Amino acid sequence: MLIDGKSVTATTGKLRAVENPANGQVITQVAEGGADDVDLAVRAARASFDKGSWRKASAVHREKTLWRLAELLEENIDELATLEVMDNGMPASMARRAIERALDGLRYYAGMCTKVHGVTSDISGLRAEFHAYSLCEPIGVAALIVPWNSPLPAACNKIGPALAAGCSCVLKPAEQTPLTALRLGQLALEAGIPPGVLNVVTGEGAVVGAALADHPDVDKISFTGSTEVGKGLLHAAAGNMKRLTLELGGKSPVFIFDDADLKIAIPRAAAAIFSNSGQICYAGSRLFVQQGVYEEVLAGIAGVASNMRIGDGFDADTELGPLISEHQRDRVMSYIDSARSEGAELVAGGQRLDRNGYFVQPTVFSGTRVDMRFMREEIFGPVLGAMPFAGIDDVETLANATRFGLGAGIFTRSVSTAHRVARLIRTGNVWVNFYGGSDKSLPFGGYKESGWGREGGIEGIEAFMEKKAVYIRL
Ligand code: NAD
């Protein structure tokens, strides 16, 4: 782990095996941190924050240093993408693209260092002359807790704004995928981020994550993960009223209208659910197709599913990698069983592969209803439920029949339909005639139980800042 600028073993003395999900083999072992390690990391972060080695550095210096970190990550992208594929199983081309996008985001926030500032105000109503202004100040020590489905990008999405804001951090990668976070910590030191400003503690969520959430010297938690754990953090953070940003789960709808260009809609709707084997928070797992093109779209997506090349992420041909773990594979299979037992009709896939590693076929069900369990709960696997709809009047009810609100896709040639439907869906992100992704210049996050707050844009850095009002009587 990385604590106070030093590579350290865990005080627990324990190690945890890290597995390659494509073959179930152990790649390496990493330190299994405990609550004492969290305490050491938080103390280091607090000391660096109080000393001001980063917080008080000039905005230009912080900008240059974060930019240097992005450069170092880019110089090492082959190694980082390789680690990500070994750890997570995703196709190598996807890992690389995701890291490249994350580095764009890191540079966006590097530039933000010199652009966040308060405002002056001509205050009124007080019987004197004043000069009044606001200040933006870093929130303090931030715990950054990330999941396994896109490990390095998820970490970059948090360290970019947190460090640009001037916070000191403790990064906690998922227990399944710690490798790129550890390398990121080393490269951050090399880039010139002072010791103690970015600490990395590996270990189990229920131990390391919970200790961070509980720690009285942590001021902020930025969490990406499941809605269930996110809800638990609300309670855990109450002790010292930690600020929370929560990027949580989804059950996102995709609407294909009769007038859509199906050459675009079919492959994009398939990619919406099958990319990264469905292990994407905004995966388009509920497909609604207008009646006139329903059969054609269903056959098209089933065709894509049946022809996907499944395999090791290192094979250049692979389109669909494994699920992250045996546990996740069994969980996904239980949802496939549940869909069958609730009466959905299997159109494609439905089986796990009989080989080493945790592979499940891309799976499509028709004959679904929005109240079926597999249509309500986040599966986080390559499982799609499809149903026809009559027209725009049905959209609101169907789209919003979920406790989540993270993403939505709309395929239509009508500008009017696109804009109207975008307003009807209670969700943080809408993609028209394509699906997925986000740009750092825009806020990313969820409505309802998909989260609290936003990453990206000015909102992303403000989430790591406090605002102070200063009144001066002249
Ligand atoms: P998870 O909630 O189990 O774990 C996420 C992180 O939280 C891991 O680092 C884990 O170790 C840690 N954790 C687990 N228990 C904890 C606890 N009690 N206290 C503190 N930390 C704890 O989620 P996961 O299975 O790793 O990831 C999949 C989930 O993440 C899905 O629900 C997915 O939708 C969500 N996700 C959301 C976004 C988004 O931006 N909205 C992005 C990616 C993933």
Side-chain angles (χ1 to χ4, degrees):
M1 304 184 295
L2 180 72
I3 297 181
D4 207 11
K6 293 175 207 75
S7 249
V8 294
T9 54
T11 57
T12 59
K14 289 193 207 153
L15 292 170
R16 169 184 280 266
V18 182
E19 223 186 17
N20 178 346
N23 54 28
Q25 285 171 6
V26 172
I27 312 162
T28 185
Q29 315 236 29
V30 298
E32 176 80 337
D36 289 343
D37 300 296
V38 167
D39 191 48
L40 290 171
V42 173
R43 281 169 192 262
R46 173 59 61 192
S48 75
F49 188 79
D50 290 348
K51 193 169 137 206
S53 52
W54 178 250
R55 167 174 68 101
K56 291 184 184 166
S58 75
V60 169
H61 175 77
R62 282 188 279 119
E63 173 174 345
K64 280 185 180 165
T65 311
L66 282 178
W67 193 274
R68 177 74 192 125
L69 174 58
E71 276 175 352
L72 281 176
L73 289 161
E74 197 158 55
E75 284 165 21
N76 289 278
I77 196 163
D78 290 341
E79 180 200 359
L80 291 162
T82 301
L83 289 175
E84 203 88 315
V85 177
M86 286 166 77
D87 224 359
N88 165 282
M90 67 173 68
S93 57
M94 181 179 181
R96 202 183 170 92
R97 260 197 326 274
I99 295 172
E100 284 166 357
R101 293 286 294 147
L103 299 188
D104 290 344
L106 203 50
R107 292 191 175 102
Y108 174 84
Y109 280 111
M112 194 74 93
C113 292
T114 51
K115 290 160 199 75
V116 277
H117 44 71
V119 293
T120 56
S121 172
D122 294 327
I123 57 176
S124 57
L126 297 177
R127 265 185 243 106
E129 210 180 332
F130 284 86
H131 174 55
Y133 58 94
S134 62
L135 288 174
C136 295
E137 298 183 337
I139 220 162
V141 172
L144 314 176
I145 304 177
V146 295
W148 44 258
N149 64 328
S150 189
L152 185 60
C156 288
N157 286 347
K158 296 193 187 301
I159 65 157
L163 293 176
C167 289
S168 291
C169 310
V170 180
L171 172 65
K172 186 230 162 305
E175 44 271 52
Q176 299 88 342
T177 53
L179 302 183
T180 45
L182 291 166
R183 188 74 183 109
L184 171 66
Q186 292 171 342
L187 292 173
L189 275 182
E190 207 175 314
I193 291 173
V197 171
L198 177 61
N199 305 276
V200 184
V201 179
T202 50
E204 227 179 274
V207 178
V208 172
L212 282 166
D214 209 36
H215 202 293
D217 235 358
V218 171
D219 302 295
K220 160 90 191 179
I221 300 177
S222 180
F223 171 82
T224 299
S226 61
T227 292
E228 278 51 51
V229 173
K231 284 183 182 178
L233 292 177
L234 296 180
H235 299 285
N240 64 334
M241 295 197 60
K242 294 178 179 66
R243 277 57 173 151
L244 283 180
T245 300
L246 303 174
E247 295 288 354
L248 308 176
K251 193 73 193 175
S252 300
V254 174
F255 285 87
I256 299 180
F257 285 82
D258 282 346
D259 67 351
D261 182 342
L262 298 189
K263 287 195 298 304
I264 294 174
I266 290 172
R268 298 290 174 139
I273 180 64
F274 300 137
S275 285
N276 207 17
S277 299
Q279 301 170 120
I280 296 184
C281 50
Y282 53 71
S285 51
R286 298 184 299 145
L287 177 65
F288 303 99
V289 187
Q290 205 169 1
Q291 281 156 351
V293 292
Y294 180 68
E295 293 302 335
E296 187 179 349
V297 169
L298 192 63
I301 291 187
V304 174
S306 307
N307 289 312
M308 284 187 91
R309 289 184 295 267
I310 305 176
D312 190 308
F314 286 115
D315 291 342
D317 284 347
T318 292
E319 295 170 306
L320 189 112
L323 295 169
I324 189 69
S325 62
E326 187 175 5
H327 170 77
Q328 184 67 5
R329 180 197 61 199
D330 293 347
R331 193 169 163 272
V332 170
M333 288 310 298
S334 80
Y335 276 105
I336 291 176
D337 293 343
S338 154
R340 281 192 168 118
S341 66
E342 283 190 280
E345 295 154 33
L346 187 66
V347 185
Q351 304 293 323
R352 48 175 280 193
L353 296 198
D354 189 16
R355 56 180 274 185
N356 287 339
Y358 311 118
F359 296 91
V360 172
Q361 291 176 328
T363 297
V364 182
F365 283 100
S366 67
T368 64
R369 294 189 317 273
V370 287
D371 62 347
M372 287 175 166
R373 182 172 156 251
F374 94 107
M375 290 289 276
R376 285 186 286 113
E377 296 180 11
E378 183 180 46
I379 301 175
F380 229 51
V383 182
L384 179 68
M387 72 170 71
F389 73 99
I392 200 165
D393 290 345
D394 295 338
V395 165
E396 203 165 0
T397 311
L398 293 171
N400 299 330
T402 168
R403 64 191 177 108
F404 299 109
L406 193 53
I410 305 166
F411 290 87
T412 176
R413 283 192 171 97
S414 159
V415 174
S416 166
T417 302
H419 287 296
R420 285 175 65 202
V421 172
R423 290 171 189 213
L424 292 174
I425 305 176
R426 300 199 59 221
T427 188
N429 306 273
V430 175
W431 298 284
V432 178
N433 292 331
F434 79 113
Y435 195 88
S438 65
D439 187 85
K440 271 296 154 277
S441 62
L442 289 167
F444 178 90
Y447 281 30
K448 301 196 274 185
E449 293 184 33
S450 286
W452 268 10
R454 294 293 181 268
E455 288 187 338
I458 186 77
E459 295 88 341
I461 194 165
E462 283 179 350
F464 289 98
M465 304 194 100
E466 295 282 15
K467 288 203 170 167
K468 179 183 283 175
V470 182
Y471 299 80
I472 301 170
R473 184 172 180 157
L474 300 176

Coordinates of all heavy atoms in Angstrom, one line a residue, residues 362-396:
P362 N -23.8 -13.5 -23.6 CA -24.8 -12.3 -23.8 C -26.2 -12.9 -23.9 O -26.4 -13.8 -24.7 CB -24.3 -11.6 -25.0 CG -23.2 -12.4 -25.6 CD -22.8 -13.5 -24.7
T363 N -27.1 -12.4 -23.1 CA -28.4 -13.0 -23.0 C -29.5 -12.0 -23.2 O -29.4 -10.8 -22.7 CB -28.5 -13.5 -21.5 OG1 -27.5 -14.5 -21.4 CG2 -29.9 -14.1 -21.2
V364 N -30.5 -12.4 -24.0 CA -31.6 -11.5 -24.3 C -32.9 -12.2 -24.0 O -33.1 -13.4 -24.3 CB -31.6 -11.1 -25.8 CG1 -32.8 -10.2 -26.1 CG2 -30.3 -10.5 -26.2
F365 N -33.8 -11.5 -23.2 CA -35.1 -12.0 -23.0 C -36.2 -11.1 -23.6 O -36.0 -9.9 -23.6 CB -35.4 -12.0 -21.4 CG -34.7 -13.1 -20.7 CD1 -33.5 -12.9 -20.0 CD2 -35.3 -14.4 -20.7 CE1 -32.9 -14.0 -19.3 CE2 -34.7 -15.4 -20.0 CZ -33.5 -15.2 -19.3
S366 N -37.2 -11.7 -24.1 CA -38.4 -11.0 -24.5 C -39.6 -11.4 -23.6 O -39.3 -12.1 -22.6 CB -38.7 -11.3 -26.0 OG -39.2 -12.6 -26.1
G367 N -40.8 -10.9 -23.9 CA -41.9 -11.3 -23.1 C -41.7 -10.8 -21.6 O -42.1 -11.5 -20.7
T368 N -41.2 -9.6 -21.5 CA -40.9 -9.1 -20.1 C -41.9 -8.1 -19.7 O -42.7 -7.6 -20.5 CB -39.5 -8.5 -20.1 OG1 -39.5 -7.3 -20.9 CG2 -38.4 -9.4 -20.6
R369 N -41.9 -7.9 -18.4 CA -42.7 -6.8 -17.8 C -41.8 -6.0 -16.9 O -40.9 -6.6 -16.3 CB -43.9 -7.4 -16.9 CG -44.9 -8.2 -17.7 CD -46.1 -8.5 -16.7 NE -45.6 -8.9 -15.4 CZ -45.3 -10.2 -15.1 NH1 -45.5 -11.2 -16.0 NH2 -44.9 -10.5 -13.9
V370 N -42.1 -4.7 -16.7 CA -41.3 -3.9 -15.9 C -41.3 -4.3 -14.4 O -40.4 -3.9 -13.6 CB -41.6 -2.4 -16.0 CG1 -41.1 -1.8 -17.3 CG2 -43.0 -2.0 -15.7
D371 N -42.3 -5.1 -14.0 CA -42.3 -5.4 -12.6 C -41.6 -6.8 -12.3 O -41.5 -7.2 -11.2 CB -43.8 -5.5 -12.1 CG -44.6 -6.6 -12.8 OD1 -44.1 -7.1 -13.8 OD2 -45.7 -6.9 -12.3
M372 N -41.1 -7.4 -13.3 CA -40.3 -8.6 -13.1 C -39.0 -8.3 -12.3 O -38.4 -7.2 -12.5 CB -39.9 -9.3 -14.4 CG -41.1 -10.0 -15.1 SD -40.5 -10.6 -16.7 CE -41.9 -11.7 -17.1
R373 N -38.6 -9.2 -11.5 CA -37.4 -8.9 -10.6 C -36.2 -8.5 -11.4 O -35.5 -7.6 -11.1 CB -37.2 -10.1 -9.7 CG -36.0 -9.9 -8.7 CD -35.9 -11.0 -7.7 NE -34.5 -11.0 -7.3 CZ -33.6 -11.9 -7.6 NH1 -34.0 -13.0 -8.3 NH2 -32.4 -11.8 -7.1
F374 N -36.0 -9.3 -12.5 CA -34.7 -9.0 -13.3 C -34.8 -7.7 -14.1 O -33.8 -7.2 -14.6 CB -34.4 -10.2 -14.2 CG -34.9 -10.2 -15.6 CD1 -34.0 -9.9 -16.6 CD2 -36.2 -10.3 -15.8 CE1 -34.5 -9.8 -17.9 CE2 -36.7 -10.3 -17.1 CZ -35.8 -10.0 -18.2
M375 N -36.0 -7.2 -14.2 CA -36.2 -5.9 -14.8 C -36.2 -4.7 -13.8 O -36.2 -3.6 -14.2 CB -37.5 -5.8 -15.6 CG -37.6 -6.8 -16.8 SD -36.5 -6.1 -18.2 CE -37.7 -5.0 -19.0
R376 N -36.2 -5.0 -12.6 CA -36.2 -4.0 -11.5 C -34.8 -3.8 -10.9 O -34.4 -2.8 -10.5 CB -37.2 -4.3 -10.4 CG -38.6 -4.1 -10.8 CD -39.6 -4.3 -9.7 NE -39.7 -5.7 -9.3 CZ -39.3 -6.3 -8.2 NH1 -38.7 -5.6 -7.3 NH2 -39.5 -7.6 -8.0
E377 N -34.1 -5.0 -10.7 CA -32.9 -4.9 -9.9 C -31.6 -4.9 -10.9 O -31.7 -5.4 -12.0 CB -32.8 -6.2 -9.0 CG -33.9 -6.2 -8.0 CD -33.9 -7.4 -7.1 OE1 -32.9 -8.1 -7.1 OE2 -34.9 -7.6 -6.4
E378 N -30.6 -4.2 -10.4 CA -29.4 -4.1 -11.2 C -28.7 -5.5 -11.2 O -28.4 -6.1 -10.1 CB -28.4 -3.1 -10.5 CG -27.2 -2.9 -11.4 CD -26.2 -1.9 -10.8 OE1 -26.0 -1.9 -9.6 OE2 -25.7 -1.1 -11.6
I379 N -28.4 -6.0 -12.4 CA -27.8 -7.3 -12.5 C -26.3 -7.2 -12.6 O -25.5 -8.0 -12.0 CB -28.4 -8.1 -13.7 CG1 -29.9 -8.3 -13.6 CG2 -27.7 -9.4 -13.9 CD1 -30.6 -8.9 -14.8
F380 N -25.8 -6.2 -13.3 CA -24.4 -6.0 -13.6 C -23.8 -7.2 -14.3 O -22.8 -7.7 -14.0 CB -23.7 -5.7 -12.2 CG -22.8 -4.5 -12.3 CD1 -23.2 -3.3 -12.7 CD2 -21.4 -4.6 -11.9 CE1 -22.4 -2.2 -12.8 CE2 -20.6 -3.5 -12.0 CZ -21.1 -2.3 -12.4
G381 N -24.5 -7.5 -15.4 CA -24.1 -8.6 -16.2 C -24.7 -8.5 -17.6 O -25.5 -7.6 -17.8
P382 N -24.3 -9.3 -18.6 CA -24.8 -9.1 -20.0 C -26.2 -9.7 -20.2 O -26.4 -10.6 -21.0 CB -23.7 -9.9 -20.8 CG -23.3 -11.0 -19.9 CD -23.4 -10.5 -18.5
V383 N -27.2 -9.1 -19.5 CA -28.5 -9.7 -19.5 C -29.5 -8.5 -19.9 O -29.6 -7.5 -19.1 CB -28.9 -10.3 -18.2 CG1 -30.3 -10.9 -18.3 CG2 -27.9 -11.4 -17.8
L384 N -30.2 -8.7 -21.0 CA -31.1 -7.7 -21.5 C -32.5 -8.2 -21.5 O -32.8 -9.3 -21.9 CB -30.7 -7.3 -22.9 CG -31.6 -6.3 -23.6 CD1 -31.4 -4.9 -23.0 CD2 -31.2 -6.2 -25.1
G385 N -33.5 -7.3 -21.0 CA -34.9 -7.6 -21.1 C -35.5 -6.7 -22.1 O -35.4 -5.4 -21.9
A386 N -36.3 -7.2 -23.0 CA -36.9 -6.4 -24.1 C -38.4 -6.5 -24.0 O -38.9 -7.5 -23.7 CB -36.4 -6.8 -25.4
M387 N -39.1 -5.4 -24.4 CA -40.5 -5.4 -24.6 C -40.9 -4.3 -25.6 O -40.2 -3.3 -25.8 CB -41.2 -5.2 -23.3 CG -41.1 -3.8 -22.7 SD -42.2 -3.5 -21.3 CE -41.4 -4.5 -20.1
P388 N -42.1 -4.5 -26.3 CA -42.6 -3.5 -27.2 C -43.3 -2.4 -26.4 O -43.8 -2.6 -25.3 CB -43.6 -4.3 -28.1 CG -44.0 -5.4 -27.2 CD -42.9 -5.7 -26.2
F389 N -43.4 -1.2 -27.1 CA -44.2 -0.1 -26.5 C -45.0 0.5 -27.7 O -44.5 0.5 -28.8 CB -43.4 0.9 -25.7 CG -42.5 1.8 -26.5 CD1 -42.9 3.1 -26.8 CD2 -41.3 1.4 -26.9 CE1 -42.1 4.0 -27.5 CE2 -40.5 2.2 -27.6 CZ -40.9 3.5 -27.9
A390 N -46.1 1.2 -27.3 CA -47.0 1.7 -28.4 C -46.5 3.1 -28.9 O -46.4 3.3 -30.1 CB -48.4 1.8 -27.9
G391 N -46.1 4.0 -28.0 CA -45.7 5.3 -28.5 C -45.3 6.2 -27.4 O -45.1 5.7 -26.2
I392 N -45.0 7.4 -27.6 CA -44.4 8.4 -26.7 C -45.2 8.5 -25.4 O -44.6 8.7 -24.3 CB -44.2 9.7 -27.4 CG1 -43.1 10.5 -26.6 CG2 -45.4 10.5 -27.5 CD1 -42.5 11.7 -27.4
D393 N -46.5 8.3 -25.4 CA -47.3 8.4 -24.2 C -46.9 7.3 -23.2 O -47.2 7.4 -22.0 CB -48.8 8.3 -24.5 CG -49.3 9.5 -25.3 OD1 -48.5 10.5 -25.3 OD2 -50.3 9.4 -25.9
D394 N -46.3 6.2 -23.6 CA -45.9 5.2 -22.7 C -44.5 5.4 -22.0 O -44.2 4.7 -21.1 CB -45.8 3.8 -23.4 CG -47.1 3.4 -24.0 OD1 -48.2 3.9 -23.4 OD2 -47.2 2.6 -24.9
V395 N -43.8 6.3 -22.6 CA -42.4 6.4 -22.2 C -42.2 6.7 -20.7 O -41.4 6.0 -20.0 CB -41.7 7.5 -23.0 CG1 -40.3 7.9 -22.4 CG2 -41.5 7.0 -24.5
E396 N -42.9 7.7 -20.2 CA -42.7 8.1 -18.8 C -42.9 6.9 -17.9 O -42.1 6.7 -17.0 CB -43.6 9.3 -18.5 CG -43.1 10.1 -17.4 CD -43.9 11.5 -17.4 OE1 -44.8 11.7 -18.2 OE2 -43.5 12.2 -16.5

